[in-house]
């Protein structure tokens, strides 16, 4: 009883005091700020009253009793016992810590807790290193002034942790001019990446297509920069990819929102050679074309141009067509032969916008992907599109041997709007008409493959169609997995499935939005609750030890 009234009284007093302190620190502008003094102050007052009541009851029954010498001697023995136990437990705990550190010293495990995984090498880097030929030695040499190579060594060390065939070193160009001359480096900060197979004979190196002693110099001290250099010295050349022009296609060098300047730089990082192709002058596809890209044409292709693209596919060619809404390209019949029919609509999807909540919009977000090599590593990560049209997988009129699969699927709340008149009505949202519109989920991207011939004459044509060309424009390419979708599609088209991956993440801070309730809770937890809990715990321990 004696211990109980002391605990109730003193703990109640602490609660009342901390509740009173809030009067000096809080403005009480929100309802959440009123909860702390009311709730904890009320509990504290109840504790004070209960403690006083128990104290009066205890006085009326027994009064104060003194403990005799026997109890005192027992207390000494008990204290000695607890002290010995504390020393023993501390020694055991210390021993466990030492043993755990000895075991863990040889087994280092790093955990990256950032949402963008900025401290972890990307899937692309892992894929590139895994595809290095057997017997490869990959060397990274950084030319930095003494004391300035720390960032390079940390980044290169991650590559070595991933693959022991990687070696790296830093060189001060002022101290070792012969190394500067050897690697033909012109300035500090350069990084030379070399790939070689020492066991190969000169004859073998002449016939090999990669890792034969090539060196690439980069000034980009980032994972993207190093991995690009590794690709250029180790990956086989993907060949030329031609961007067809002359029909209002997206400008390859355009710096505007719709342009492809950003994505062009990324394509070059993939060890791919880009060439524009104007078919108006000659409706012929170059013999060295590994793939064709048709990006958002706004005018119809001429019949001879369509025939040339069709013949190219018949010969085992590879084509990526990105076709926007409200455009007739003249390619519709060709695409139908491969089981893909662009629909005359625009996809409307429900999306969440800051400060607006759930609204209708023309920027569909795809998180549902078909079971295909291109998107197999995406999981449920998003790709974002802008003013896209849907596609339909058809079998009527499809060529023999064609296998067509959906690649990108919109959500169930989306639909294909066929009435484009809402564009002219400001402030008017489109509405679903079950008689005219197509209910989601809709196909936004599809792929087709056709194998024909036998033996050495066997060929495989590949076609990818996406109902939007804006998703890799300068505005949208950095969003979600947009760039990965495009690069992986090119990898699949050119037969380099081994390099399909997710590229390095740029820095993205880990942030979260706090509501009014969250802010109040965080403030009270850090300023009042934790100190209050510590004070109450200390009082409780002190009272029990005085029993």
């Amino acid at each position: 009883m004696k211990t109980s009234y002391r605990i109730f009284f003193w703990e109640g007093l602490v609660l009342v005091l901390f509740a009173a302190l809030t009067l000096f620190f809080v403005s009480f502008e929100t309802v959440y700020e009123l909860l702390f003094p009311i709730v904890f102050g009320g509990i504290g007052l109840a504790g004070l009253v209960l403690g006083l009541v128990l104290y009066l009851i205890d006085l009326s029954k027994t009064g104060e009793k003194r403990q005799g010498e026997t109890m005192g001697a027992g207390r000494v023995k008990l204290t000695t016992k607890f002290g010995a136990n504390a020393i023993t437990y501390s020694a055991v705990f210390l021993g466990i810590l030492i043993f755990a550190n000895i075991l863990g010293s040889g087994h280092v495990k790093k955990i990256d807790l950032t949402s963008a995984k900025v401290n972890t090498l990307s899937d692309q880097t892992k894929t590139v290193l895994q595809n290095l030929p057997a017997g490869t030695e990959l060397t990274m040499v950084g030319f930095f002034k003494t004391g300035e190579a720390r960032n390079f060594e940390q980044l290169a060390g991650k590559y070595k942790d991933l693959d022991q065939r990687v070696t790296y070193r830093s060189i001060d160009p002022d101290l070792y001019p012969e190394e500067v001359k050897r690697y033909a480096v012109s300035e500090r900060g350069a990084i030379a990446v070399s790939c070689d197979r020492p066991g190969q004979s000169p004859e073998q190196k002449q016939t090999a297509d990669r890792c034969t002693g090539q060196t690439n110099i980069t000034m980009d001290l980032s994972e993207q920069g190093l991995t690009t250099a590794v690709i250029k010295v180790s990956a086989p050349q993907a060949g030329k990819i031609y961007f067809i022009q002359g029909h209002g296609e997206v400008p390859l060098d355009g710096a505007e929102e719709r342009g492809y300047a950003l994505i062009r730089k990324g394509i070059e990082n993939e060890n791919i050679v880009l060439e524009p192709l104007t078919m108006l002058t000659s409706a012929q596809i170059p013999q060295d074309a590994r793939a064709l890209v048709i990006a958002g044409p706004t005018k119809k292709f001429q019949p001879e141009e369509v025939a040339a693209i069709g013949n190219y596919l018949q010969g085992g060619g590879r084509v990526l067509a990105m076709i926007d809404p409200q455009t007739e390209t003249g390619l519709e019949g060709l695409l139908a032969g491969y089981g893909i029919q662009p629909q005359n609509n625009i996809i409307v999807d429900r999306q969440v916008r800051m400060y607006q909540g759930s609204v209708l919009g023309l920027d569909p977000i795809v998180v549902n992907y078909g079971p295909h090599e291109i998107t197999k590593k995406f999981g449920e990560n998003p790709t974002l599109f802008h003013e896209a049209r849907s596609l339909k997988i058809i079998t009527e009129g499809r060529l023999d041997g064609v296998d067509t699969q959906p690649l990108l699927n919109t959500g169930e709340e989306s639909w294909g709007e066929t009435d484009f008149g809402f564009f002219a009505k400001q402030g008017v949202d489109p509405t679903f008409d079950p008689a005219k519109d197509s209910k989601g989920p809709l196909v936004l991207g599809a792929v087709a493959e056709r194998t024909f011939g036998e033996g050495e004459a066997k060929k495989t044509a590949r076609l990818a169609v996406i109902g939007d060309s804006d998703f890799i424009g300068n505005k949208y390419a950095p969003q979600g997995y947009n760039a990965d979708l495009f690069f992986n599609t090119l990898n699949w088209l050119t037969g380099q499935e081994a390099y399909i991956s997710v590229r390095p993440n740029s820095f993205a801070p880990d942030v979260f939005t706090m509501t009014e309730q969250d802010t109040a809770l965080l403030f009270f937890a850090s300023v009042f609750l934790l100190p209050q809990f510590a004070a109450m715990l200390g009082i409780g321990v002190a009272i029990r030890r005085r029993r």
Side-chain angles (χ1 to χ4, degrees):
M1 180 71 75
K2 183 177 181 179
T3 302
S4 298
Y5 76 69
R6 285 182 174 178
I7 289 178
F8 279 116
F9 178 82
W10 288 108
E11 302 291 20
L13 182 61
V14 170
L15 288 172
V16 170
L17 288 176
F18 272 89
L21 284 175
T22 60
L23 299 175
F24 298 96
F25 293 97
V26 181
S27 59
F28 301 109
E29 294 178 354
T30 67
V31 65
Y32 306 109
E33 293 173 329
L34 292 171
L35 290 178
F36 186 90
I38 293 175
V39 174
F40 287 95
I43 294 174
L45 286 174
L48 283 174
V49 172
L50 185 57
L52 290 173
V53 170
L54 292 176
Y55 174 69
L56 294 175
I57 294 173
D58 186 57
L59 283 180
S60 65
K61 286 185 175 180
T62 61
E64 290 289 337
K65 295 183 179 179
R66 295 185 177 275
Q67 301 295 331
E69 293 182 359
T70 304
M71 181 62 70
R75 181 176 296 174
V76 172
K77 291 181 181 179
L78 191 61
T79 302
T80 303
K81 179 181 178 181
F82 287 156
N85 287 341
I87 294 174
T88 302
Y89 292 148
S90 298
V92 171
F93 180 70
L94 183 61
I96 292 173
L97 284 179
I98 294 173
F99 183 69
N101 276 275
I102 293 174
L103 288 179
S105 61
H107 303 81
V108 179
K109 179 66 175 178
K110 299 178 181 179
I111 301 176
D112 187 357
L113 298 179
T114 60
S115 60
K117 299 301 178 185
V118 297
N119 298 313
T120 304
L121 293 180
S122 68
D123 177 72
Q124 183 193 28
T125 299
K126 297 174 184 177
T127 300
V128 169
L129 294 180
Q130 288 170 359
N131 287 314
L132 290 175
T136 293
E137 289 184 1
L138 188 68
T139 305
M140 299 180 180
V141 182
F143 291 85
F144 297 91
K145 191 175 181 179
T146 302
E148 297 179 355
R150 181 180 178 184
N151 291 337
F152 162 72
E153 292 173 349
Q154 287 180 340
L155 180 57
K158 294 180 181 179
Y159 283 74
K160 183 170 180 61
D161 291 341
L162 197 60
D163 194 320
Q164 291 302 309
R165 292 176 293 179
V166 177
T167 60
Y168 66 91
R169 56 196 172 100
S170 56
I171 293 176
D172 189 328
D174 296 330
L175 299 179
Y176 298 94
E178 68 279 4
E179 293 291 333
V180 174
K181 183 177 180 180
R182 174 188 173 189
Y183 287 100
V185 173
S186 59
E187 56 185 309
R188 288 194 186 96
I191 303 170
V193 178
S194 304
C195 188
D196 199 3
R197 284 183 274 182
Q200 280 192 325
S201 64
E203 293 77 15
Q204 289 175 319
K205 289 187 176 182
Q206 286 182 355
T207 58
D209 61 347
R210 53 182 178 151
C211 283
T212 56
Q214 303 99 320
T215 298
N216 182 268
I217 308 297
T218 179
M219 297 297 296
D220 186 357
L221 181 54
S222 67
E223 182 189 356
Q224 183 67 73
L226 288 187
T227 298
T228 297
V230 174
I231 290 174
K232 289 183 176 180
V233 298
S234 68
Q237 182 65 251
K240 286 186 179 180
I241 292 182
Y242 286 89
F243 270 68
I244 294 181
Q245 296 182 347
H247 313 86
E249 288 87 356
V250 179
L252 192 56
D253 295 317
E256 67 276 14
E257 286 187 357
R258 187 171 180 256
Y260 284 174
L262 285 179
I263 211 72
R264 175 166 191 164
K265 182 179 179 181
I267 293 173
E268 294 169 350
N269 290 341
E270 299 284 318
N271 211 20
I272 295 172
V273 177
L274 291 178
E275 291 284 350
L277 175 62
T278 302
M279 299 185 66
L280 293 176
T281 56
S282 175
Q284 297 292 328
I285 307 300
Q287 294 292 324
D288 61 350
R290 287 292 297 274
L292 300 179
V293 176
I294 304 170
T298 58
K299 297 180 181 179
K300 290 184 66 173
F301 281 70
Q302 297 298 316
E304 56 270 24
E305 295 176 311
V306 177
I309 297 173
N311 292 334
Y312 172 69
L313 283 170
Q314 289 280 6
R318 315 295 172 89
V319 176
L320 167 60
M322 297 175 284
I323 303 176
D324 295 314
Q326 301 188 79
T327 57
E328 186 178 353
T329 63
L331 300 170
E332 288 75 17
L334 175 63
L335 300 182
Y338 286 82
I340 302 172
Q341 185 180 73
Q343 301 298 289
N344 186 29
N345 60 24
I346 186 168
I347 297 176
V348 179
D349 199 2
R350 187 167 295 279
Q351 33 191 259
V352 177
R353 294 180 182 172
M354 188 175 294
Y355 307 122
Q356 291 182 294
S358 181
V359 297
L360 294 176
L362 302 179
D363 297 335
I365 298 175
V366 171
V367 294
N368 182 17
Y369 305 98
H372 196 271
E373 285 288 315
I374 293 174
T375 54
K376 66 180 181 180
K377 296 184 178 181
F378 285 12
E380 294 185 355
N381 292 293
T383 45
L384 177 65
F385 300 85
H386 176 63
E387 295 185 0
R389 74 196 304 169
S390 69
L391 310 174
K392 185 178 181 180
I393 306 297
I394 60 174
T395 56
E396 185 178 353
R398 189 167 65 180
L399 297 172
D400 294 336
V402 172
D403 178 26
T404 309
Q405 301 179 38
L407 183 68
L408 308 168
N409 302 293
T410 63
E412 294 184 356
E413 295 188 1
S414 64
W415 75 84
E417 177 64 48
T418 56
D419 181 9
F420 295 99
F422 74 90
F423 276 111
K425 301 174 183 177
Q426 194 172 19
V428 177
D429 288 334
T431 56
F432 176 67
D433 183 351
K436 299 179 180 179
D437 302 331
S438 303
K439 188 75 176 70
L442 304 172
V443 177
L444 199 155
V447 291
E449 197 168 18
R450 185 189 185 202
T451 302
F452 44 89
E454 296 181 357
E456 294 183 356
K458 186 176 182 180
K459 296 179 181 180
T460 301
R462 288 180 174 179
L463 171 67
V465 182
I466 298 175
D468 177 37
S469 66
D470 295 320
F471 80 100
I472 55 167
N474 294 328
K475 180 179 180 180
Y476 291 94
Q479 304 293 326
Y481 277 45
N482 287 23
D484 292 302
L485 173 62
F486 178 70
F487 294 140
N488 287 357
T489 301
L490 293 185
N491 288 140
W492 177 73
L493 288 172
T494 57
Q496 297 199 90
E497 290 91 338
Y499 290 90
I500 287 177
S501 58
V502 177
R503 275 75 187 166
N505 297 297
S506 59
F507 178 75
D510 295 314
V511 298
F512 62 95
T513 303
M514 295 184 66
T515 64
E516 192 177 75
Q517 181 180 3
D518 296 331
T519 305
L521 181 59
L522 179 62
F523 173 77
F524 285 116
S526 57
V527 177
F528 294 106
L529 290 183
L530 290 180
Q532 175 181 290
F533 176 75
M536 294 175 67
L537 182 62
I539 289 174
V541 172
I543 291 175
R544 291 189 62 85
R545 293 186 65 180
R546 289 175 59 87
R547 289 172 52 183

